[in-house]
Amino acid sequence: MELKERIAALGRLGEEIQDEAAWLIGPIERAYHENGWFTPENSWKALRAIKDQFLNTSIVEKWADKYGQYDIKPMKKVGLVLAGNIPMVGFHDVLCTFVCGHQSMIKTSSKDSVLLKTVIGKLIEQSPSSKPYFEIVDQLRGFEAVIATGSNNSARYFEQYFGKYPNIIRKNRSAIGILDGSETDEELLALGEDIFNYFGLGCRNVSKIYVPADYDFDHLLEVLHEGYKDIILHNKYKNNFDYNNALFLMNKVDFLMSGSLIITEAKEITSRIATLHYERYTDLNELGNQLASLADQIQCAVSKASIPGLNAFNYGEAQRPSISDYADGVDTMEFLKTL
């Protein structure tokens, strides 16, 4: 397939992803049965985002055009070790590999295998000539390059196993939010999306906020609780909320809480499920320097304040990456084009 044919195939796939599409209802229910975090609501949300940002023909054409010529080098076998923290989180790597004309050897996460296999199957059904570009595998063998995503611990093993191959190896990262105290209720509710979407499990979920030295959390907690209190009805989320509440009490950790979120002061960026870390600042320029030193831990930031050296999204947009927002800031397309 030539590039224009591959992009057209992606466009046809996008046309098939419709709310309540019959071919997706069963797999979405199976995904929820296999992984209680993957509620149907979250799976549909992820699929709509993929349709809008990754399978829009004009968006893909404009994005792909930035990388110059394709179809010159022979197809390479690229091993993809995918994460499974939120539905379809590994699709962007699959997309990039396909657009670049390489074959994806896909090792799905056991937590997120149903939907990805279903969507790839639909792509092949709609565009049979795309079949050679995809292979779902239980173990990677015969690959020529690797893109692997996992925890800091698994990354050490990835580096050992895949270090001699061209690779991208991703580790733990989280998103941060920066407040200046002037946020409206609408902006705080939008920040809540960044915190609570997908139960906070994504690397683009805000797990820590930076606030002025005299910041009062009462109003923030009230707004977030009113906007997102139903999240506590999810059994797995509530179990984590109750566990962390008990853990902090036993360890005499100071914290604030609403009925759905625990906030505690901590240096660490990544927080536990149902908790949010915070840190106070006195000067935005100094905060910018501090965050620059933590760049390898930060996936993205949300803020309305201008922070020197920090490219931040608006509140509510952390979990809405565009097709050119690459994980860990590493240009996946540039990597694949050089193979």
Side-chain angles (χ1 to χ4, degrees):
M1 300 177 75
E2 295 183 357
L3 173 62
K4 63 181 180 180
E5 295 172 316
R6 297 196 295 273
I7 293 177
L10 293 170
R12 287 191 292 272
L13 174 63
E15 292 170 0
E16 293 294 321
I17 297 177
Q18 303 288 340
D19 285 350
E20 302 304 318
W23 66 278
L24 285 167
I25 292 174
I28 283 175
E29 289 297 332
R30 288 201 307 275
Y32 182 41
H33 178 75
E34 293 186 8
N35 183 347
W37 292 112
F38 284 22
T39 63
E41 177 187 4
N42 280 342
S43 290
W44 286 115
K45 183 188 302 181
L47 287 165
R48 283 192 293 269
I50 286 171
K51 171 187 174 69
D52 292 343
Q53 288 295 330
F54 300 165
L55 301 176
N56 179 301
T57 301
S58 61
I59 290 176
V60 177
E61 286 175 341
K62 184 176 179 180
W63 166 68
D65 189 57
K66 296 189 301 183
Y67 294 91
Q69 294 296 315
Y70 295 78
D71 305 315
I72 297 174
K73 297 180 180 180
M75 176 190 291
K76 297 291 181 69
K77 294 183 177 182
V78 181
L80 303 179
V81 181
L82 304 184
N85 46 329
I86 66 176
M88 296 287 291
V89 69
F91 184 77
H92 191 262
D93 286 339
V94 176
L95 170 80
C96 291
T97 306
F98 181 55
V99 170
C100 282
H102 297 308
Q103 181 190 38
S104 296
M105 302 181 68
I106 304 166
K107 174 71 170 66
T108 63
S109 168
S110 59
K111 298 177 181 179
D112 182 26
S113 62
V114 177
L115 280 182
L116 186 69
K117 291 176 182 177
T118 299
V119 170
I120 291 175
K122 176 59 71 171
L123 172 60
I124 293 171
E125 176 188 320
Q126 294 293 109
S127 306
S129 55
S130 68
K131 185 175 182 179
Y133 290 88
F134 308 100
E135 182 181 3
I136 308 291
V137 299
D138 294 324
Q139 186 174 355
L140 293 183
R141 294 190 181 92
F143 54 88
E144 298 166 272
V146 176
I147 301 174
T149 305
S151 65
N152 290 345
N153 186 50
S154 61
R156 291 194 288 269
Y157 293 98
F158 292 158
E159 288 165 354
Q160 178 182 348
Y161 296 148
F162 304 136
K164 65 181 180 180
Y165 300 94
N167 67 72
I168 295 175
I169 295 175
R170 305 193 186 105
K171 303 177 182 179
N172 283 349
R173 290 199 182 207
S174 297
I176 61 168
I178 302 162
L179 286 70
D180 64 12
S182 68
E183 290 77 20
T184 65
D185 287 3
E186 289 75 17
E187 288 169 331
L188 294 179
L189 282 170
L191 173 65
E193 290 190 37
D194 301 322
I195 296 169
F196 292 111
N197 267 353
Y198 305 110
F199 301 107
L201 294 170
C203 64
R204 300 182 70 89
N205 281 108
V206 169
S207 59
K208 182 174 182 176
I209 57 174
Y210 292 83
V211 299
D214 58 351
Y215 192 81
D216 184 352
F217 285 96
D218 289 346
H219 187 63
L220 171 66
L221 285 170
E222 179 184 349
V223 171
L224 293 181
H225 181 62
E226 284 303 310
Y228 301 93
K229 58 187 174 185
D230 287 350
I231 196 171
I232 202 68
L233 301 177
H234 186 271
N235 185 58
K236 293 173 78 68
Y237 185 90
K238 185 178 188 303
N239 288 343
N240 279 270
F241 179 88
D242 292 342
Y243 174 81
N244 289 319
N245 183 24
L247 185 68
F248 290 161
L249 286 170
M250 288 189 297
N251 291 332
K252 296 181 171 28
V253 175
D254 291 332
F255 64 91
L256 302 167
M257 65 182 292
S258 66
S260 54
L261 183 67
I262 300 169
I263 299 182
T264 185
E265 189 170 13
K267 289 291 185 183
E268 295 81 10
I269 290 177
T270 301
S271 60
R272 294 172 175 271
I273 296 171
T275 70
L276 178 69
H277 289 173
Y278 75 86
E279 188 173 336
R280 299 184 186 273
Y281 67 86
T282 56
D283 182 86
L284 285 175
N285 288 323
E286 291 180 4
L287 178 59
N289 293 332
Q290 177 186 344
L291 296 178
S293 69
L294 300 172
D296 62 346
Q297 300 177 44
I298 299 171
Q299 189 67 264
C300 65
V302 293
S303 174
K304 71 174 185 179
S306 178
I307 314 295
L310 186 69
N311 182 23
F313 292 84
N314 294 324
Y315 300 127
E317 295 184 358
Q319 280 289 0
R320 301 174 188 172
S322 73
I323 197 169
S324 57
D325 288 323
Y326 297 103
D328 294 14
V330 178
D331 191 325
T332 312
M333 289 288 283
E334 196 62 46
F335 166 77
L336 292 166
K337 283 296 300 293
T338 61
L339 294 180

